[in-house]
Amino acid sequence: MSPATDFSVALLTHLVARGLRHVVLTPGSRSQALALAAAELDRRGILNLTVRLDERSAAFTALGIARETGLPVAVVTTSGTAVGNLLPTVMEAHHSGVPVIVLSADRPAELRGTGANQTTWQPGIFGAFVRLEVDVDAPSGPADEPVDEVLGLSPDAAALAAQAMDASLGLAGADGMPGPVHLNLQFREPLSGDVPETAVPRLHDQAPSHPRPAHLLEPGLRTVVVAGDGAGADAEEVAHAGGWPLIAEVSSGARFGPNLIVAYRSLLGSELARHVERVIVFGHPTLSREVPALLTRDDVQIVVVASGGERITPGHEGRMLVDRVEVGPEAVAASREPDARAWLGRWVVASRAQLELDDPELPAPDVEAPRSGDLKRRREYAKAELAAARATISRPILALSVWRATWPHDRLVLGASRLIREADKVVPGKKITVHANRGLAGIDGTVSTAIGVALASQSDAKGGITRVLLGDLTLLHDVGGLLIGDGETRPRVQLIVGNDGGGTIFDSLEVAFSADPDAFARVMRTPQSVSVEQLAAAYGWSYTRATTRAELDRALTSPEGPLSIVEVPLAEIP
Ligand SMILES: Cc1ncc(C[n+]2csc(CCOP(=O)(O)OP(=O)(O)O)c2C)c(N)n1
Ligand SMILES: [Mg+2]
């Protein structure tokens, strides 16, 4: 009999009763009750368990699963520095509004500050980043006055689970924003015992959810819809209903539809943008300088719509913060007026024209040539075909190739830095699911986040592959994420690494031209020449090097095995 185990089972089953499906855990002694309970509940098909060595990887994996499913995911750790390794994920989850529940095991409170082994101040470690934190006394077994109706335990696992799930889903806070939660769980010896038979409790007090009231958009204003990261398909729907141009970043979830303005950067710098009277903002735009500039204009009405993550609040008087927006019948009718049609038309036509100018592709082939009787023409064609296949890979071509290879049953994860921006500049509309950690745009945790996305999206047979487009330093930062232990599920993941030997995003900053070149390279670009091939081999991932378009397309469409890395050498600077 172990109160630690009984409480752990009660807590996990109550979390499951409220919608938890996934637990990610890391090994340790103090957390053994939670770990063994999770393993047994996984075996009984009550939850899905993923095990990782490194807490930072585990936490980002949980973040990826939570991003993909929209449901809270628990991360279990032991005490001490283990807990500190979760901080980057908790920060990202806070800013991007992703529900992650940290279950950190701890020694009993009276040992804090006494020099006891692996004992520190875990409560408060996540500061203002958590929606809720509870420092929970060690379970003491059946209490005289049981507070838990199922197992008669103290503390009350049911109440804790309810509080944690509500807070992580944003149901408890006034802002309605999902995010991270921390339950710090003290445990005393015996640290574990037999896992009791238990069923998932039935809930009878589910409160009905009420949609928040919508702000009715007045008709007639020259409007642009902006969809930043995490905006979701609502942004496209609103743009479509109102007949407004749609600026949708590549990870917005709204990059599709006839109103999409791919070349928005140059258009926002043009005469056309001067006529904008209103901007409706969904999600968190981070990929351009032009959008933030638009949002600080004080001659433009700004309507910021809540969409789960942190909302941008451009600091001027004319902005409105609303929970939802509605395009009423009057605005729909107004969108059919010639003036309104012309407004949208000008954006769409200008965007197309700009894209043609910027087209990174080689000139279109002479399609009639192969059937031509003219030998010279046929030879020219064959030469052009060969040149296209052998052409080295530029960043825009890399981004376009990965985008084209991705279909609705696949997932695409974009690392921070240059390649997500390249993708945002060139990729056309397509209804696919894209994830990126844009809450804080860290280059940490990308591999692990993607593996989480893959695990969650491939839980049924219909799941495709999760492709990850990332820079070399971004891969190396989360190299530990490549480690999938024996017996753990290997989802289909393909990492496409644009390798330019360091962080070349900084090459475009002013400091790159003003600083001493050697110092700049050493402290900002931070050059590296790691063998990605040997790294892949060490962790059991397959490896392909793609130096031409033909090799890249082949690698993207026929990955070798579930876990694959495609290395694409890129020029250091262009
Ligand atoms: C955790 C974290 N540390 C540092 C940074 C600052 N940073 C932004 S981009 C970058 C370099 C990324 O290099 P790479 O992944 O190779 O992409 P590239 O710019 O070369 O395409 C760094 C260090 C960050 N965003 N996140
Ligand atoms: Mg790089």
Side-chain angles (χ1 to χ4, degrees), residues 483-533:
L483 172 57
I484 298 185
D486 294 352
E488 291 297 305
T489 303
R490 283 163 161 64
R492 290 177 295 282
V493 180
Q494 185 173 50
L495 307 178
I496 302 118
V497 188
N499 194 349
D500 46 20
T504 62
I505 193 168
F506 303 125
D507 291 348
S508 58
L509 302 182
E510 221 172 282
V511 59
F513 305 97
S514 60
D516 170 71
D518 291 340
F520 170 80
R522 182 177 178 209
V523 304
M524 295 196 69
R525 193 185 304 136
T526 56
Q528 61 77 27
S529 48
V530 170
S531 161
V532 176
E533 180 169 15

Side-chain angles (χ1 to χ4, degrees), residues 180-205:
V181 161
H182 180 198
L183 300 184
N184 188 61
L185 307 169
Q186 302 166 35
F187 289 111
R188 290 178 201 284
E189 282 84 7
L191 290 176
S192 64
D194 290 342
V195 178
E197 279 302 325
T198 179
V200 176
R202 274 219 201 110
L203 297 181
H204 23 249
D205 61 342

